[in-house]
């Protein structure tokens, strides 16, 4: 008899748990470092009482993981950098369409997916950093002109496996076509001061110590070094200057950090709530103040280093094109000998 009561009790407890609403939570797979997103998530939790669980890792690993997990994935949101990766996740059917007036109104069309599967949350530009001691700013114009023989052996840039470079080349394909971009890439490679190695910060440091005179980097690395408070980083960054490429043409190459709600999200409503929070003025100002990225909302004013750098002309191609031309870009860089 005791055994029957015990079994019934367990069964009833189990049944009650089944009926209870799940805890208010949102689970994120994030390819951004924790420090670059966590403070915003904490603010969101404080405001809404929704718990946000963050798992950080590599974008490509998360894309694979979502594919393998399928319906069983605990993730509601995939957060990553670079439009090409978001396009890849969409093409693999990992996101779902999100109809949010807030997101559609705040984020310009070219910074979100045509079917609303992904949304840009912050902007970054791939800029030229140069040594003012060895380079006249007047000699710089746009990305295309970096293939000029006057830059032979003077340029540093990281490897072609890096998605920032792949997206820059994809944008060149959009503007110039494959053939012209390939001729450019071949000459650019001849202008490298060394085999590509290291991250964007390493390229800035290489300019500072005279390994090269010019580097291609994302704007927030330079801003972050200038503001780091670390003597070596600050002094390296101070030995360089930023140049906005293509200001008299189509502008500087732009990319995003962005986000999509997973196809099998179990907390879709709360996930959308979080996305909508991330485009509020408060969150967008944080991106600019803390991460040195630009807001996707053109009404948000820049502060600090970004304000000092001033306004610039940015390439206004639809960012889905970076994903569309990614494999062409990768193959082209390989043919050009860009290691
Ligand atoms: Fe980065």
């Amino acid at each position: 008899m005791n055994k029957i009561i015990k079994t019934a009790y367990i069964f009833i407890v189990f049944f009650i748990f089944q009926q209870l609403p799940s805890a208010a939570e949102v689970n994120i797979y994030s390819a951004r470092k924790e420090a670059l997103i966590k403070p915003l998530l904490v603010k969101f939790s404080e405001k809404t009482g929704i718990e946000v669980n963050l798992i950080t890792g590599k974008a490509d690993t998360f894309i694979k993981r979502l594919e393998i997990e399928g319906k069983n994935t605990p993730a509601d949101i995939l957060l990553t950098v670079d439009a090409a990766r978001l396009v890849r996740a969409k093409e693999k059917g990992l996101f779902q369409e999100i109809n949010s007036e807030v997101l559609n109104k705040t984020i310009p069309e070219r910074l979100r997916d045509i079917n609303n599967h992904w949304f840009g949350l912050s902007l970054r530009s791939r800029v030229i950093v140069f040594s003012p001691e060895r380079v006249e700013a007047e000699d710089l114009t746009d990305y295309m002109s970096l293939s000029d023989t006057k830059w032979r052996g003077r340029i540093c840039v990281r490897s072609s496996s890096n998605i920032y470079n792949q997206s820059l080349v994809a944008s060149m394909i959009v503007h110039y076509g494959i053939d012209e971009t390939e001729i450019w890439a071949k000459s650019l490679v001849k202008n490298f001061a060394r085999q590509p190695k290291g991250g964007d910060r390493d390229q800035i440091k290489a300019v500072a110590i005279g390994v090269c005179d010019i580097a291609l980097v994302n704007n927030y690395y330079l801003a972050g070094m200038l503001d780091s408070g670390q003597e070596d980083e600050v002094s390296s960054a101070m030995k360089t200057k930023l140049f906005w490429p293509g200001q008299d043409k189509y502008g500087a190459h732009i990319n995003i950090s962005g986000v999509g709600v997973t196809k099998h999200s179990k907390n879709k409503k709360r996930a959308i709530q979080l996305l909508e929070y991330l485009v509020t003025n408060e969150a967008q100002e944080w991106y600019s103040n803390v991460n040195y990225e630009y807001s996707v909302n053109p009404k948000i004013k820049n502060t600090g280093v970004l304000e000092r750098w001033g306004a610039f002309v940015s390439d206004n191609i639809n960012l889905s094109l970076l994903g569309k031309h990614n494999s062409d870009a990768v193959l082209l860089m390989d043919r050009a000998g860009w290691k």
Side-chain angles (χ1 to χ4, degrees):
M1 185 65 188
N2 226 350
K3 210 173 178 188
I4 292 169
I5 294 170
K6 221 173 170 183
T7 311
Y9 176 76
I10 289 169
F11 184 78
I12 289 165
V13 168
F14 181 75
F15 182 78
I16 290 169
F17 265 105
Q18 288 281 303
Q19 303 308 306
L20 284 174
S22 57
E25 61 173 21
V26 174
N27 301 310
I28 305 183
Y29 285 171
S30 169
R32 302 213 73 175
K33 282 197 191 119
E34 193 170 308
L36 300 182
I37 189 70
K38 184 88 182 179
L40 279 182
L41 304 179
V42 170
K43 278 188 189 173
F44 172 75
S45 293
E46 282 166 6
K47 278 179 202 294
T48 60
I50 298 170
E51 193 185 319
V52 183
N53 304 308
L54 186 69
I55 302 178
T56 52
K58 290 223 176 342
D60 294 332
T61 312
F62 281 138
I63 288 174
K64 254 190 216 126
R65 191 162 159 181
L66 284 169
E67 276 186 286
I68 293 165
E69 288 172 344
K71 279 182 186 162
N72 298 321
T73 186
D76 301 299
I77 286 174
L78 173 67
L79 191 129
T80 184
V81 291
D82 201 287
R85 285 207 183 100
L86 293 161
V87 170
R88 200 178 296 161
K90 180 198 175 185
E91 281 170 354
K92 288 177 183 289
L94 301 175
F95 291 146
Q96 59 174 302
E97 187 176 338
I98 297 300
N99 291 307
S100 155
E101 212 180 299
V102 173
L103 296 177
N104 292 351
K105 253 205 298 202
T106 319
I107 306 170
E109 229 174 90
R110 68 189 179 91
L111 305 178
R112 55 184 157 88
D113 175 48
I114 188 168
N115 306 116
N116 288 339
H117 279 222
W118 53 260
F119 301 87
L121 293 177
S122 63
L123 287 176
R124 60 273 299 285
S125 180
R126 199 138 182 84
V127 299
I128 294 174
V129 162
F130 67 99
S131 157
E133 272 176 24
R134 300 185 299 280
V135 175
E136 298 287 337
E138 296 76 51
D139 284 342
L140 295 165
T141 53
D142 56 5
Y143 304 105
M144 206 33 143
S145 69
L146 295 179
S147 64
D148 197 288
T149 49
K150 74 178 169 203
W151 303 120
R152 193 58 46 93
R154 301 173 70 187
I155 297 176
C156 278
V157 66
R158 68 203 284 181
S159 107
S160 60
S161 64
N162 172 256
I163 196 135
Y164 304 150
N165 285 334
Q166 293 170 11
S167 282
L168 172 65
V169 172
S171 77
M172 303 279 295
I173 292 174
V174 174
H175 290 290
Y176 300 103
I178 289 185
D179 294 345
E180 210 178 319
T181 305
E182 185 162 342
I183 293 167
W184 167 78
K186 281 181 174 150
S187 303
L188 180 76
V189 168
K190 284 187 194 150
N191 290 346
F192 286 176
R194 61 177 185 187
Q195 286 279 28
K197 62 172 180 180
D200 281 5
R201 274 195 191 85
D202 298 310
Q203 316 310 319
I204 297 168
K205 288 173 188 165
V207 172
I209 60 169
V211 171
C212 39
D213 298 336
I214 290 175
L216 279 169
V217 301
N218 283 356
N219 71 280
Y220 55 85
Y221 289 110
L222 181 62
M225 284 172 73
L226 286 168
D227 255 6
S228 69
Q230 284 173 277
E231 215 183 298
D232 55 332
E233 296 247 316
V234 177
S235 81
S236 288
M238 294 280 277
K239 286 186 185 125
T240 72
K241 276 205 148 125
L242 176 145
F243 181 85
W244 295 109
Q247 295 302 285
D248 54 353
K249 288 190 180 156
Y250 61 79
H253 170 64
I254 284 291
N255 210 323
I256 47 172
S257 80
V259 77
V261 175
T262 62
K263 188 179 176 187
H264 300 291
S265 165
K266 279 106 193 151
N267 302 294
K268 182 178 170 181
K269 254 193 184 163
R270 288 164 189 144
I272 295 172
Q273 220 178 318
L274 175 57
L275 264 49
E276 289 179 345
Y277 171 71
L278 292 175
V279 297
T280 58
N281 290 357
E282 176 185 72
Q284 288 291 307
E285 277 164 9
W286 184 89
Y287 273 113
S288 148
N289 292 340
V290 182
N291 282 11
Y292 311 106
E293 294 177 278
Y294 293 91
S295 171
V296 289
N297 180 350
K299 287 177 195 148
I300 301 293
K301 283 207 169 69
N302 296 310
T303 55
V305 184
L306 298 194
E307 190 185 15
R308 287 203 293 283
W309 282 344
F312 63 99
V313 180
S314 62
D315 188 358
N316 62 8
I317 59 168
N318 190 301
L319 292 195
S320 296
L321 292 170
L322 303 181
K324 187 180 169 201
H325 295 288
N326 179 267
S327 53
D328 280 339
V330 171
L331 293 170
L332 185 156
M333 291 160 101
D334 190 47
R335 290 197 296 275
W338 188 333
K339 295 279 188 251

